[in-house]
Amino acid sequence: MDERGTILVDTGLPTATYLVNTAPPTGTPDTSPDYTLLAAAGETGTTGVTGATGVTGATGPTGATGVTGATGPTGATGVTGATGPTGVTGATGDIGATGATGPTGVTGATGATGPTGATGVTGVTGATGATGVTGDTGPTGATGVTGDTGPTGVTGATGDTGPTGPTGVTAAALTTYGSFYSTQNPNIFPGTPFPLDTRGAGTTDDLTLNDNRVTINTPGTYLVIYQYNPNTLNPDNQLGDVQLVLNNTPVPGLTFILILVQPDLNQLLVQHW
């Protein structure tokens, strides 16, 4: 497009009008020969008298409040002013509720004991109180150990000799005799033999003792006397069974025995039924 002859208005300050001579033009209108100045603004005249101020228009609506700017840094604290005079003391308020009691402090060391005061006058003894009810009798204690046997008394005087009785039938001479006993003082349990361990003086040779058993080596009819004398007297020793056995067979009629206590002699006697 041919731009020659085009009128260009420069809206800069001050305003000017140019004619384009060459298309396309180069440079700026006020410096390039491609433009011809047609008209330019004249010098500014003297400012005229200011006219009277017109009536102020109605105030427009207030615009929206802008966003609050960031708070600036706090300024340095100013010098503290002189303290003013103390005001009149106000009326005392009501006493508040008592606070909770604090913990008890540590007990202090005990002070030295003071000197003992003089003993006061003893008062009059009061009347004796009534005797209380007697309590129940306690259980009887265990029986104490029996004391040692006392010494044997003096033998009494021998009495007068009685009249001689009639002469009895002369018995056959004894050919076998013996006595056996125990010196061990052991505990004897039910079902066990008596612990015979000693042959008495005068025992004939045809009676032998072995393992608590007496062996009769000569056949015949024998009178057997036996007794049981416990050393300790207690309820367990007052009644028991002592059995005479011949060839491992109990002798009939000798199963039960009665043990009688003789306190004055501190011994027991055995009788069979």
Side-chain angles (χ1 to χ4, degrees):
M1 176 179 178
D2 189 359
E3 295 180 353
R4 288 178 298 178
T6 300
I7 297 174
L8 176 64
V9 178
D10 185 359
T11 59
L13 293 178
T15 303
T17 301
Y18 295 88
L19 174 65
V20 178
N21 300 320
T22 302
T26 61
T28 58
D30 57 343
T31 61
S32 174
D34 292 341
Y35 299 94
T36 300
L37 178 61
L38 297 179
E43 295 179 2
T44 301
T46 303
T47 301
V49 178
T50 302
T53 303
V55 179
T56 302
T59 303
T62 302
T65 303
V67 178
T68 302
T71 303
T74 303
T77 303
V79 179
T80 302
T83 303
T86 303
V88 179
T89 302
T92 302
D94 296 333
I95 297 174
T98 303
T101 303
T104 304
V106 179
T107 303
T110 304
T113 304
T116 304
T119 303
V121 179
T122 302
V124 179
T125 303
T128 303
T131 302
V133 179
T134 302
D136 297 333
T137 302
T140 302
T143 303
V145 179
T146 302
D148 298 333
T149 303
T152 303
V154 179
T155 303
T158 303
D160 297 334
T161 303
T164 302
T167 301
V169 178
T170 301
L174 294 176
T175 59
T176 300
Y177 168 82
S179 63
F180 305 91
Y181 55 93
S182 173
T183 60
Q184 301 176 16
N185 295 326
N187 292 325
I188 302 174
F189 299 97
T192 60
F194 277 71
L196 303 177
D197 59 5
T198 305
R199 297 174 76 248
T203 301
T204 56
D205 293 337
D206 54 351
L207 297 179
T208 58
L209 175 63
N210 184 32
D211 193 22
N212 298 328
R213 297 175 184 271
V214 177
T215 301
I216 301 174
N217 296 299
T218 302
T221 301
Y222 290 84
L223 172 65
V224 179
I225 300 174
Y226 60 92
Q227 65 181 11
Y228 164 48
N229 298 325
N231 291 333
T232 303
L233 301 182
N234 59 55
D236 293 336
N237 290 331
Q238 290 184 7
L239 183 63
D241 295 337
V242 176
Q243 178 69 62
L244 183 65
V245 177
L246 177 62
N247 296 330
N248 296 323
T249 301
V251 177
L254 299 179
T255 301
F256 299 101
I257 61 114
L258 174 65
I259 304 175
L260 302 177
V261 180
Q262 291 186 332
D264 55 335
L265 299 179
N266 193 26
Q267 67 179 6
L268 303 179
L269 297 180
V270 180
Q271 296 178 352
H272 67 77
W273 289 355

